[in-house]
Amino acid sequence: MRNFFLVCALAFSISVGAADELRRVYVSTGDGLIAYAVGDGGGLTEIDREAGRGLTAIAADSKRLYRVGAKAAETFEIDAEGKLELLHTDPGTAPASYLMLDRTERYLAGSNYGGGSVAIWKIDQDRNVQGQFAAQVPLEKAAHSSVFSKNNRWLLVPATTPNKVFQLAFDDASGSLTPHSPLAADGPPVEAGNATQPRHLVFHPDLPIAYTTLEREMPGVGVWSWDEESGELRVIQNVVTYPENFEGSITTADLHLTPDSRFLYVSNRDLTDRKAMTGDSSIVGFSVDSETGKLTLLGHTPCPQIPRSFAIDEAGDYLYSAGQVTGTLEVYEIDRETGALASQGEIETGKGPNWVKCVTLNPEG
């Protein structure tokens, strides 16, 4: 295990003075939802912990955090220091494998992996999430994520086993979902011998491009052309992230662009031994062509074992990668010129960290 942060020795005030003191990281684990304050070098100090499990989504103004678990939908207030207060709990929901707020923040979308469906929850006028579905559409098993398009007219749902990205029209006036025709875009075919099975998806902020992790076979990342008007995807590049001369099992999981869109990172999970505390898991870096959106591989950076989730802070300075098996969170400084990642240390989070979020709080409220 890599060096742990001596976070107690990194003494810093959590007042609202310096910009770094207003950066926060939230991690969902089997031991609860943990809030960290960010200090020098991206170092983390725990400032709050809430019991319970579930995945999270955070409002654009960083004042609300929503958590959906198997039994309840919860709304938390994020205070000026980044601490959490439970405001509202509504029972009668279902587990979600991914959560995202629509652009109006009146609705929350989540995919159900085992059930093979996607659901919409309503956010009421008090900004609380309601437990009952506003809409639900059955798809196919292994629906991994649910991502609203930039124009808020579409909801895309990558699903691994069917090797598809489902496409649904979204009405932000009613929260309804309508299956598109065709219902899904196919991932790269298995016979191509490359990566298949789309899992997570992000849109390029300026180009008509989407990126997905491609989880299995020869795992990697897919670059898709995206038509905002017709709501259709088409694969235009398929890059394998399987390490050279590696004979074990690798699958990809999460992916994120830096805020300036110059670099894309994908998590490689070494699943050769699912219980091993060490392995060849890594964060894979790419440079992004500013005109075409296509990717050029930069390299693999070792990370804590089984990086199901990672996040990049809003300034683009740090990347935080969670080891699902190791129960740790490693911090990397991002070189803004080269995209290289430099480890700054690692902290223990508790068992099974499965979601990481970064926010920058506004000292003016």
Side-chain angles (χ1 to χ4, degrees):
M1 189 175 292
R2 299 176 182 82
N3 297 2
F4 281 179
F5 280 117
L6 298 178
V7 292
C8 293
L10 292 176
F12 63 92
S13 168
I14 59 171
S15 66
V16 294
D20 274 359
E21 293 173 356
L22 294 175
R23 299 184 190 186
R24 301 293 181 257
V25 175
Y26 298 91
V27 181
S28 300
T29 78
D31 294 327
L33 175 60
I34 309 171
Y36 296 96
V38 180
D40 294 339
L44 301 174
T45 299
E46 182 177 331
I47 60 171
D48 198 11
R49 183 183 294 247
E50 294 286 337
R53 297 188 180 192
L55 297 186
T56 60
I58 297 176
D61 65 3
S62 301
K63 293 183 179 181
R64 285 287 192 278
L65 182 148
Y66 301 102
R67 181 170 69 179
V68 174
K71 297 181 179 180
E74 299 168 297
T75 303
F76 294 86
E77 181 181 40
I78 302 175
D79 73 13
E81 292 185 351
K83 294 181 180 180
L84 299 167
E85 178 184 355
L86 180 62
L87 298 179
H88 182 80
T89 300
D90 203 2
T93 185
S97 55
Y98 189 97
L99 293 176
M100 184 177 181
L101 287 159
D102 85 304
R103 309 298 171 176
T104 70
E105 298 198 345
R106 296 196 301 266
Y107 299 98
L108 180 68
S111 55
N112 185 325
Y113 177 84
S117 63
V118 65
I120 299 290
W121 291 270
K122 184 178 180 180
I123 309 295
D124 67 22
Q125 60 184 6
D126 295 320
R127 301 184 69 186
N128 295 324
V129 60
Q130 303 300 298
Q132 298 297 323
F133 299 138
Q136 186 180 30
V137 177
L139 299 170
E140 295 183 42
K141 286 188 176 182
H144 256 291
S145 56
S146 45
V147 180
F148 289 102
S149 64
K150 292 178 287 185
N151 64 5
N152 218 39
R153 290 177 51 196
W154 307 99
L155 184 69
L156 301 187
V157 184
T160 51
T161 303
N163 191 32
K164 297 175 181 177
V165 179
F166 292 99
Q167 303 164 126
L168 301 106
F170 174 65
D171 182 348
D172 62 17
S174 65
S176 64
L177 293 171
T178 304
H180 188 41
S181 181
L183 177 57
D186 292 330
V190 174
E191 57 267 23
N194 288 333
T196 62
Q197 299 195 3
R199 177 186 173 105
H200 283 184
L201 181 149
V202 296
F203 286 104
H204 192 290
D206 303 314
L207 300 174
I209 294 291
Y211 303 95
T212 65
T213 47
L214 297 170
E215 185 175 350
R216 296 185 182 274
E217 301 300 327
M218 291 295 285
V221 58
V223 183
W224 306 64
S225 66
W226 165 245
D227 189 318
E228 284 267 271
E229 294 305 313
S230 66
E232 294 183 5
L233 288 165
R234 180 175 60 86
V235 177
I236 59 174
Q237 188 184 18
N238 177 3
V239 185
V240 172
T241 59
Y242 197 87
E244 291 186 10
N245 304 315
F246 181 72
E247 297 182 355
S249 174
I250 291 284
T251 66
T252 59
D254 206 359
L255 80 168
H256 294 283
L257 285 161
T258 53
D260 61 9
S261 304
R262 292 187 60 197
F263 304 105
L264 177 83
Y265 299 94
V266 174
S267 58
N268 260 12
R269 302 177 297 170
D270 180 359
L271 299 182
T272 308
D273 180 350
R274 290 176 177 266
K275 296 182 180 180
M277 296 293 287
T278 60
D280 285 295
S281 293
S282 63
I283 302 297
V284 187
F286 298 88
S287 61
V288 180
D289 187 285
S290 61
E291 295 184 0
T292 67
K294 290 187 175 181
L295 304 175
T296 300
L297 180 66
L298 297 175
H300 297 63
T301 301
C303 69
Q305 185 69 337
I306 316 298
R308 178 178 173 182
S309 178
F310 70 94
I312 296 170
D313 76 343
E314 294 179 8
D317 291 331
Y318 300 106
L319 183 150
Y320 297 87
S321 179
Q324 191 172 12
V325 170
T326 59
T328 60
L329 187 69
E330 186 152 1
V331 183
Y332 301 86
E333 186 173 13
I334 302 172
D335 187 311
R336 295 194 183 190
E337 294 302 316
T338 67
L341 301 177
S343 175
Q344 304 299 298
E346 184 178 7
I347 65 168
E348 294 180 329
T349 62
K351 60 185 178 183
N354 64 3
W355 212 247
V356 185
K357 298 284 187 181
C358 298
V359 302
T360 300
L361 301 178
N362 182 357
E364 303 301 325

